């Protein structure tokens, strides 16, 4: 019975891996397009000014605040999204790992693969939850979440 379990698990893992690779490639292409658009916009802005004092005057004006709004929200980092994704992945992996361990205890001999899968799921789930907690605490400490940034140390 256990021999028929490994091909099924391998097939599901392979499909998940292919989907994940496609998502990562898609996200990277999107981020690359956004970065190039932002760089082009900034380059055009810099070309409009003839000298550094003109640029400095513009950056200190109210008009420069509107310029920051031209950057799409998708190009700005969103710590909430990444932290929430880690929490969701952690909970799903933790619960599926616990379910595998529960099933292993309920089934007869020959299902040791459930113990391995359960242990891996629990470890990955706890890892994602710890990662989300640390990311949240660091984001809060660095002012990314609260909207205020702590003062940077002065250069000597």
């Amino acid at each position: 019975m256990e021999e028929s379990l490994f091909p099924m698990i391998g097939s599901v893992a392979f499909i998940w891996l292919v989907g994940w690779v496609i998502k990562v490639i898609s996200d990277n292409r999107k981020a690359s397009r956004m970065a190039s658009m932002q760089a082009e916009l900034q380059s055009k802005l810099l070309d409009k000014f003839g000298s550094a004092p003109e640029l400095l005057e513009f950056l200190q004006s109210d008009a420069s605040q509107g310029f920051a709004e031209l950057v799409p929200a998708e190009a700005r980092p969103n710590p909430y999204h990444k932290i929430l994704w880690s929490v969701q992945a952690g909970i799903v992996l933790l619960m599926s790992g616990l379910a595998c361990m529960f099933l292993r205890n309920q089934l007869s001999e020959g299902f040791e693969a459930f113990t391995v899968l359960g242990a891996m799921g629990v470890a990955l789930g706890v890892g994602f939850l710890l990662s989300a907690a640390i990311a949240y605490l660091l984001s809060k400490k660095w002012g990314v979440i609260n909207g205020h940034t702590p003062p940077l140390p002065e250069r000597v």
Side-chain angles (χ1 to χ4, degrees):
M1 186 78 171
E2 189 174 326
E3 295 90 28
S4 65
L5 189 63
F6 284 116
M8 182 182 72
I9 292 170
S11 299
V12 170
F14 180 74
I15 291 170
W16 179 83
L17 179 67
V18 169
W20 179 74
V21 168
I22 290 171
K23 181 188 179 321
V24 167
I25 290 171
S26 171
D27 289 349
N28 283 339
R29 288 184 69 193
K30 184 177 178 182
S32 176
R33 281 194 309 265
M34 296 302 284
S36 65
M37 284 176 28
Q38 187 176 9
E40 184 180 338
L41 188 63
Q42 290 172 349
S43 173
K44 287 181 180 180
L45 177 68
L46 291 174
D47 290 343
K48 295 285 183 191
F49 296 100
S51 65
E54 288 178 11
L55 178 61
L56 186 60
E57 182 180 330
F58 172 75
L59 291 175
Q60 292 174 345
S61 71
D62 291 336
S64 69
Q65 302 304 320
F67 176 72
E69 296 299 319
L70 292 176
V71 178
E74 298 164 352
R76 296 181 214 136
N78 185 356
Y80 295 112
H81 176 71
K82 293 185 179 205
I83 292 170
L84 183 60
W85 184 89
S86 291
V87 169
Q88 289 171 332
I91 290 171
V92 168
L93 286 168
L94 180 64
M95 290 296 121
S96 61
L98 291 174
C100 283
M101 294 178 122
F102 175 77
L103 283 175
R104 170 60 184 107
N105 290 334
Q106 300 302 315
L107 297 173
S108 61
E109 293 298 316
F111 288 95
E112 285 78 24
F114 278 114
T115 304
V116 174
L117 287 174
M120 287 175 47
V122 168
L124 288 171
V126 169
F128 270 110
L129 291 173
L130 285 174
S131 168
I134 291 169
Y136 176 77
L137 293 173
L138 289 176
S139 296
K140 198 170 181 181
K141 181 179 180 183
W142 293 336
V144 176
I145 287 182
N146 295 336
H148 70 281
T149 11
L152 294 173
E154 293 183 23
R155 290 186 176 177
V156 179

